[in-house]
Amino acid sequence: MTIRVLVVDDSGFFRRRVSEIINSDPRMEVIGLADNGRQAMEQNEKLKPDVITMDYEMPVMDGITAVRNIMQSRPVPVLMFSSLTFEGARVTLDALEAGALDFLPKNFDAIAKNSAQIRQTLTDKIAAVANSRRRALTESTPPPRPAVVKRGSLSGQVDLVVIGTSTGGPAALQSLFKTIPAGFRTPIIIIQHMPGSFTKAFAERLNRMSPLSVKEAEDGERIEAGHVYVAPGGMQLMVDKRNGGSIHIRESDERVNYRPSVDIAFASAAKHYGRRTLALILTGMGADGREGARLLKQQGATVWAQNEETCVIFGMPMAVIKEGLSDEILALPDIGPKLSAEIG
């Protein structure tokens, strides 16, 4: 079935280029255009698209307001375009909180060149959000199933929790950290696929809503109890348990697709923390984290995966589950309480 897309942007050039890219993919077609948020709302009701691509800065009504209204009137997956600045990060996170499913950096130069990589990234993102099963988009979806236990509870003490996630991760993490109490002492590392200019703003947002201390990770800093560290975008994070535990941030090898990579962080946790690691795989596209989870399991660590019903994109958890690497499959609302009950 063809994916029907509504393109919303106040730039005629950007609307035209994005439309050309979308229409070049046989999986999808542009069925309408809008140059402000109010038009987007009207076209959403009239044309009933499967996906909306949305700019933020527009006349009459901005993108975030439009997303909020769309989620109240006729919910549909929204892919935001955002600038690669700190302010752009804040705005994008607001949009994700309002109901947008994912985002792409708004790069006029790259769009103008219409490169194969840009085409592939945009169309794959549209296909992914179109096929998402986010419960918030359909009121008729039944509530998530309770946690599914595969191989029992934690086998021993946990010294480090490492969380890997991608598409849908910002909203999932915000929901999760609202349920983890101030008394939770085990340090947490977050690997969220995100541009370098976004992770500091995201860490600050999590810090405001969580009783725990959340910050963007820095090279060489000690891992402290009750603290949460967000891996910097564009870099690779590794952990070392020697001398009380520390974080190491390194430039990424060009051959590594994800920066930060869940696999790399998991591999370092497997080496230094071994069976005393609890790894969580949350919503995300692709399979980053699968090989790292394999290394963790070889060391006797515990792996939990988010269930399909509460994922925006089930790709990353599914990759781990299909390989038999998950000890438990949990609905997102169950993860925080279970963390507190078992290791808090």
Side-chain angles (χ1 to χ4, degrees):
M1 183 179 293
T2 302
I3 300 168
R4 305 164 73 250
V5 185
L6 171 65
V7 175
V8 184
D9 199 291
D10 63 335
S11 165
F13 166 79
F14 203 80
R15 288 197 306 273
R16 184 169 61 255
R17 282 298 192 197
V18 168
S19 297
E20 289 170 356
I21 292 171
I22 293 171
N23 287 328
S24 70
D25 190 309
R27 297 174 295 175
M28 54 196 67
E29 66 172 336
V30 174
I31 60 165
L33 304 171
D35 59 20
N36 64 67
R38 188 172 300 281
Q39 282 186 8
M41 292 171 54
E42 295 169 354
Q43 294 283 61
N44 180 48
E45 295 289 344
K46 177 181 177 181
L47 302 177
K48 296 179 170 45
D50 301 309
V51 175
I52 298 174
T53 68
M54 181 82 72
D55 188 26
Y56 164 64
E57 292 190 62
M58 296 181 293
V60 184
M61 180 184 290
D62 65 80
I64 294 176
T65 303
V67 170
R68 288 198 184 101
N69 288 329
I70 286 168
M71 293 305 150
Q72 291 176 358
S73 59
R74 180 187 175 268
V76 60
V78 175
L79 178 66
M80 294 295 298
F81 280 102
S82 62
S83 63
L84 284 174
T85 63
F86 185 85
E87 177 61 19
R90 186 192 64 77
V91 167
T92 302
L93 292 169
D94 285 343
L96 294 173
E97 190 171 332
L101 290 192
D102 203 359
F103 65 92
L104 271 177
K106 187 171 185 178
N107 188 325
F108 277 97
D109 291 338
I111 287 289
K113 292 176 182 177
N114 202 8
S115 69
Q117 182 179 2
I118 289 293
R119 291 198 302 271
Q120 192 70 44
T121 300
L122 173 58
T123 55
D124 283 353
K125 287 268 191 181
I126 290 173
V129 299
N131 294 324
S132 69
R133 301 187 61 182
R134 187 172 185 182
R135 293 178 60 250
L137 297 180
T138 51
E139 294 180 354
S140 60
T141 303
R145 295 193 304 250
V148 177
V149 180
K150 287 192 69 180
R151 287 199 291 272
S153 300
L154 295 170
S155 58
Q157 182 179 349
V158 172
D159 292 338
L160 185 70
V161 176
V162 188
I163 303 174
T165 185
S166 184
T167 308
L173 289 167
Q174 289 179 66
S175 175
L176 171 60
F177 277 88
K178 288 177 181 177
T179 65
I180 301 177
F184 191 87
R185 303 302 295 160
T186 306
I188 300 174
I189 304 289
I190 295 173
I191 311 298
Q192 163 73 59
H193 293 165
M194 196 173 265
S197 56
F198 279 39
T199 43
K200 183 176 177 61
F202 181 54
E204 291 178 357
R205 178 172 296 233
L206 278 183
N207 188 57
R208 289 194 297 270
M209 64 178 51
S210 170
L212 304 180
S213 176
V214 186
K215 68 184 295 292
E216 185 181 51
E218 298 178 47
D219 183 44
E221 71 178 315
R222 291 197 54 166
I223 297 175
E224 298 183 19
H227 284 62
V228 181
Y229 305 90
V230 178
M235 307 291 282
Q236 299 298 353
L237 179 147
M238 289 159 280
V239 294
D240 190 328
K241 196 176 183 181
R242 293 171 292 187
N243 301 318
S246 59
I247 291 172
H248 299 278
I249 309 297
R250 298 288 182 265
E251 293 284 346
S252 182
D253 189 308
E254 290 296 322
R255 294 170 294 182
V256 180
N257 289 331
Y258 300 109
R259 305 167 192 168
S261 164
V262 179
D263 277 330
I264 289 175
F266 278 12
S268 71
K271 178 180 179 180
H272 291 281
Y273 285 82
R275 64 184 297 272
R276 290 177 174 268
T277 307
L278 170 61
L280 276 63
I281 291 284
L282 305 184
T283 174
M285 194 185 333
D288 188 26
R290 179 181 58 199
E291 298 312 312
R294 196 186 309 279
L295 294 174
L296 282 164
K297 292 306 300 175
Q298 290 171 1
Q299 298 300 317
T302 301
V303 177
W304 294 351
Q306 185 179 349
N307 71 353
E308 182 175 4
E309 289 81 356
T310 58
C311 281
V312 171
I313 304 291
F314 190 48
M316 287 169 58
M318 180 177 67
V320 169
I321 293 167
K322 286 180 69 175
E323 292 293 313
L325 300 172
S326 58
D327 294 282
E328 302 207 27
I329 305 169
L330 301 164
L332 181 63
D334 297 333
I335 295 175
K338 189 169 180 64
L339 278 172
S340 301
E342 297 214 8
I343 64 174

